[in-house]
Amino acid sequence: MPYVPQDLLDRVASLEREVRQLRGRAQMRPALNQVLAGDVVIGEGGQLIAKTPGGQRTFVVGQTPQGDWGVGLARESGAAALTVGDDVNSADAQMIRMWSRGGEIIVMDDAYADGYLGRPYVPIPMAPGVNIASDTDTPLYSGHMVVQHKVLSVNGQIVGPAGTAIRVWLTLDGTELAAWTLSSSATVTEINQRIPLSATDHPHSSTAVAVIWAQRTAGTGTGTVRVRGLWGMNTITESEAT
């Protein structure tokens, strides 16, 4: 038997051990619970989703099944909490929505009018004025407003004695936006109207003075104009945004 140096056998045994280690490590799946000094990129479709042990989705980011891109946060129950984009209707122009625990939208931007607030609704402060017994233009309610919504919602009532006609109208910075009348054949008229604002004349964050006027146009006696509320609200149709 030829002589084999002992150190050569030791080297062969050492190489065998290293090969076995490399083979074992090649079959191990690396830990995927950390990303250090790098980015995770989700592109060309797909989503990153986090779920509770019970299967409730609490976080999602990426491309929705409807084709738009968005981010969603949900509570442990799976109820929506905050969404950017919409995984139900991709026509909603990447709206931001914040949801209450009861499932109601409490904060959002406007779906159709870019740059305007959708919710919460904002009341326009109105100061009471006088009753109407004159045929002259009389300012009844006035308020200084900061434009946040694309639409004003007016609710009120005109009351007058039989045979008396009254005209009521709303101006914004002196421009008439809407008018309502109590005819001489009636004693009560209800007011409930949505009034889209001009994006050119009243962009978001601009200021304006809202005034509700009244004038008796026929008959005699004293009428009363009750303004129950003047609110800024979101659009509900695309035509209100133009």
Side-chain angles (χ1 to χ4, degrees), residues 11-240:
R11 291 180 181 180
V12 171
S14 177
L15 288 173
E16 289 178 344
R17 286 194 300 270
E18 291 180 4
V19 169
R20 285 195 298 270
Q21 289 177 353
L22 289 173
R23 184 181 300 164
R25 289 176 179 177
Q27 295 176 353
M28 291 176 58
R29 300 180 65 182
L32 299 177
N33 58 357
Q34 286 186 340
V35 177
L36 303 176
D39 299 326
V40 175
V41 178
I42 299 176
E44 300 181 5
Q47 295 176 303
L48 177 64
I49 300 174
K51 292 185 177 181
T52 67
Q56 299 296 338
R57 192 179 71 176
T58 59
F59 174 76
V60 60
V61 59
Q63 189 175 28
T64 70
Q66 285 69 29
D68 63 334
W69 290 78
V71 178
L73 296 176
R75 295 180 171 85
E76 188 176 2
S77 64
L82 177 67
T83 59
V84 181
D86 193 316
D87 60 1
V88 176
N89 184 357
S90 60
D92 284 346
Q94 295 288 289
M95 288 181 65
I96 297 176
R97 295 184 177 98
M98 184 180 295
W99 304 74
S100 71
R101 288 188 294 274
E104 297 295 329
I105 300 174
I106 54 178
V107 177
M108 71 179 190
D109 52 359
D110 197 295
Y112 298 106
D114 292 344
Y116 287 87
L117 178 66
R119 295 183 187 176
Y121 304 142
V122 177
I124 310 304
M126 305 296 289
V130 297
N131 291 330
I132 295 302
S134 171
D135 57 5
T136 60
D137 295 352
T138 304
L140 292 185
Y141 299 85
S142 63
H144 180 269
M145 60 177 284
V146 177
V147 177
Q148 299 186 68
H149 297 79
K150 188 63 170 60
V151 176
L152 290 181
S153 176
V154 184
N155 183 274
Q157 186 183 66
I158 309 171
V159 179
T164 298
I166 298 174
R167 182 176 186 269
V168 177
W169 64 101
L170 168 67
T171 65
L172 206 60
D173 287 341
T175 301
E176 182 176 315
L177 298 184
W180 311 272
T181 59
L182 174 70
S183 67
S184 58
S185 60
T187 57
V188 179
T189 292
E190 295 291 332
I191 299 171
N192 191 18
Q193 184 173 344
R194 295 172 57 87
I195 306 170
L197 301 181
S198 165
T200 302
D201 297 333
H202 304 291
H204 185 274
S205 298
S206 63
T207 59
V209 176
V211 182
I212 293 180
W213 301 74
Q215 177 192 42
R216 191 187 64 199
T217 58
T220 60
T222 300
T224 302
V225 178
R226 302 185 179 100
V227 178
R228 301 188 184 103
L230 179 63
W231 293 77
M233 303 185 74
N234 61 284
T235 60
I236 55 176
T237 62
E238 189 173 359
S239 62
E240 289 186 329

